[in-house]
Amino acid sequence: MDFSYLDDWMEEEAGLEPVDEAGEGYRNVWVAAEAAQGILLPATLQTMGQARDLADQIGVYVYGVLLGEEVRDLGESLFAYGADKVLVAEDPALAEYQPEVYARIYGDLVEQHRPEILLVPATCLGNDLAPRLAQRLNTGLISHCIRLEVDLSERLLLGTFPVLGGEVYHTAACPQARPQMATLEPDRFRAPYPDAYRSGTATMVDLSLTENSSGLTWTMSEAALPEGGRAFVSPAVDMSQARVVVSAGRGMGDADGFALVKQLAQALDGEIAGSRGAYDEGWIAEEQIVGVGGAFIAPDLYIACGISGDVYHYFGLQEAKFVVAINSDEKAPIMKLANIAVVGDACQVIPAMLEALRQ
Amino acid sequence: MKIIVPIKQILDPRGITVRRDKERIFVNREEYVLEPGSKAAIEAALRLKDAEPAEVVALSVGKPQAEDALREALAMGCDGAYLLSDRAFEDACVSAVAKILAAAIDKLGGADLVVAGRESGDTGAGQIGPRLAEALGYTQVTDAYALAAEDGMLQAIRRWGNGYATVQASLPVVVTVAARAFPARYPHGARIMNAYREWDVIIWDATHLGLDDADLSPLITLRRESFPAPLPVGERVRGEPTSVAEEVVMSLRLQRLID
């Protein structure tokens, strides 16, 4: 019998490329940690919490990666927040953020260790670095996620992010390329409690940094203000942690009206915030703006005085537990979504409330 | 100095209504506009051109209708406009768009400065600037509020942490600007006429740029679209300020929200 056809078939079989399944050889969840002024940023801790959850679901380890100058101790504190392994790269040249150097170091580390998922907090640094790194690794990036989950059947990271000013959520995945990258919006996830029993030793990354001539020169100074910009004052209390927030909008009329809002905030022991209109009027600082491009807050009580409450504003207070709106315009959008909508002039209602609070 | 501005045309968000309860997006008016972030980028580039002689070229990856956006850029003061349009570009994701733009910028002989919007008004991913910088091999400055370029250096004030920082970088640089910091100028009437009558938008396709399909496959796929919960409807209170205030304070006290 002629079995030559078998030889042909075997040859053909041998010549076949091995099936390269997506994600083959890629394991573990990484967090690009960020520290400033000697502490890990809250956004980094929140990202660690998410990384731990995802890693537990797919049964892999969590790696924390930290770059900087003398950051070893900080890196090792990541263990308490859920890291199983910590990679630290220390060099005086990393004291200031350099996009090219950071992208190169992360790129090399990723190629060497092949993480399956790489999470980056969507801070100024993260938003600058993550897309550059994704392009370098030729992989996809899901930006500004407010929810992360895993599709266990395909072992895919699904990231949900707001589009159209928060009116619609899109959920996307990166099915082929690895690692799967996502940036996480700050203050949308809960930071884990540190577990003091978890500790470990960071693995130091051997850097062979060459002279970088095209690097950025940073000057951090109070004087660094864009023309027409206002000084940035750190809030006494982190807005995202405030329990009671009293917020002013253009409807307060003038500075006297805004003074009433201040008094109300004082009487309730709360923080002052406002809409973009209040910022434009010069009543509040930029970090007190609530909404898209400003603060996302989750107070127990939010009182909106003279704010019409467009979607951009509402998006910042979706997590508020109880909303009181005081507005003379009955048809203002915020009146529809407040738990108590007071139809009336805020300049008259607030003094009356102050009086009622004194009783 | 040669400044290149990648711009984008989007569906006018003012023509879109989202009904959360119906879980649908209604496009009331299908009109395409120059995206506000791109407009700010053009403005930022033109301000640099006002300060010292420069050539400003606008680029856009899009469907043929994006030509209108480029003509608007010409009217505002750009010196040249290129539309990168091809059937193969239609489902390009942001990494592919970065490659397309990088190929076009290389074909134009590189740039001293690339100015882009920080994030677009529709998806708001904010990826194109850094991705383009990587594809070109330039350094980058994102989220800039003020720009100045002299002696081969770019000086920018950017948002950083809880404040602003001044950043210096040697050219070439890719910089993305905050839309709020660069309110766009109105084009001169004569320039609007010229933008449609006299000046041309040059169209390049994939073969001009030497790109093949392997470079353009999308990396990110949309899995689902969802909507935030419909807004809750609360209680309405009206009447005399004193009685209203007492009612509100009482109900807040009952719920133990205040002391």
Side-chain angles (χ1 to χ4, degrees), chain A residues 34-355:
Chain A
E34 185 187 346
Q37 281 133 26
I39 54 161
L40 291 167
L41 292 187
T44 293
L45 303 182
Q46 292 155 11
T47 309
M48 285 302 297
Q50 282 298 303
R52 187 71 260 170
D53 281 358
L54 296 175
D56 289 345
Q57 283 181 56
I58 54 177
V60 294
Y61 294 121
V62 174
Y63 278 54
V65 187
L66 186 60
L67 272 54
E69 187 189 19
E70 292 176 20
V71 288
R72 185 176 180 149
D73 291 346
L74 275 177
E76 288 182 349
S77 66
L78 285 168
F79 283 111
Y81 290 95
D84 297 305
K85 197 163 180 188
V86 172
L87 303 178
V88 171
E90 279 187 338
D91 195 289
L94 298 173
E96 299 285 11
Y97 168 66
Q98 301 289 348
E100 286 157 299
V101 182
Y102 269 56
R104 196 174 64 230
I105 295 171
Y106 272 107
D108 291 350
L109 285 174
V110 164
E111 268 161 28
Q112 201 183 331
H113 296 270
R114 297 159 79 86
E116 187 172 6
I117 294 173
L118 172 55
L119 304 180
V120 187
T123 54
C124 289
L125 190 153
N127 286 335
D128 196 278
L129 172 67
R132 183 164 192 131
L133 182 58
Q135 188 73 12
R136 189 182 180 92
L137 297 166
N138 201 16
T139 186
L141 168 68
I142 311 169
S143 300
H144 302 297
C145 291
I146 57 168
R147 192 163 63 232
L148 292 178
E149 60 207 297
V150 176
D151 180 345
L152 284 171
S153 61
E154 291 177 81
R155 216 183 158 89
L156 278 183
L157 175 71
L158 302 181
T160 302
F161 53 96
V163 293
L164 291 173
E167 283 288 272
V168 181
Y169 294 155
H170 276 180
T171 303
C174 176
Q176 292 301 322
R178 290 292 180 277
Q180 308 170 73
M181 289 181 66
T183 63
L184 281 72
E185 203 51 33
D187 299 334
R188 302 306 297 262
F189 300 93
R190 192 182 296 261
Y193 290 105
D195 180 352
Y197 291 100
R198 289 179 64 103
S199 63
T201 313
T203 311
M204 303 308 284
V205 177
D206 187 26
L207 290 177
S208 43
L209 282 183
T210 47
E211 200 61 34
N212 186 287
S213 55
S214 70
L216 309 180
T217 320
W218 289 82
T219 325
M220 302 287 180
S221 72
E222 296 298 314
L225 267 184
E227 211 170 310
R230 257 172 252 144
F232 192 97
V233 204
S234 303
V237 179
D238 188 1
M239 287 295 286
S240 60
Q241 305 294 328
R243 206 179 61 81
V244 176
V245 174
V246 185
S247 187
R250 272 226 176 81
M252 294 313 298
D254 49 20
D256 292 342
F258 178 66
L260 288 173
V261 175
K262 260 189 184 163
Q263 282 176 31
L264 184 61
Q266 246 164 21
L268 297 173
D269 200 14
E271 295 299 314
I272 301 165
S275 62
R276 196 161 288 284
Y279 168 74
D280 291 339
E281 295 285 342
W283 298 336
I284 57 167
E286 195 170 355
E287 74 276 6
Q288 288 171 300
I289 303 172
V290 172
V292 175
F296 290 92
I297 56 175
D300 292 337
L301 173 62
Y302 184 82
I303 305 183
C305 312
I307 294 179
S308 64
D310 57 10
V311 290
Y312 295 99
H313 183 73
Y314 176 69
F315 195 52
L317 59 100
Q318 276 183 37
E319 305 293 321
K321 306 214 174 38
F322 199 88
V323 179
V324 178
I326 309 172
N327 203 315
S328 49
D329 178 9
E330 200 176 332
K331 293 208 172 72
I334 199 153
M335 304 299 264
K336 261 187 258 167
L337 45 95
N339 300 76
I340 301 181
V342 181
V343 186
D345 183 1
C347 295
Q348 288 171 11
V349 175
I350 294 174
M353 277 181 75
L354 287 168
E355 187 60 38

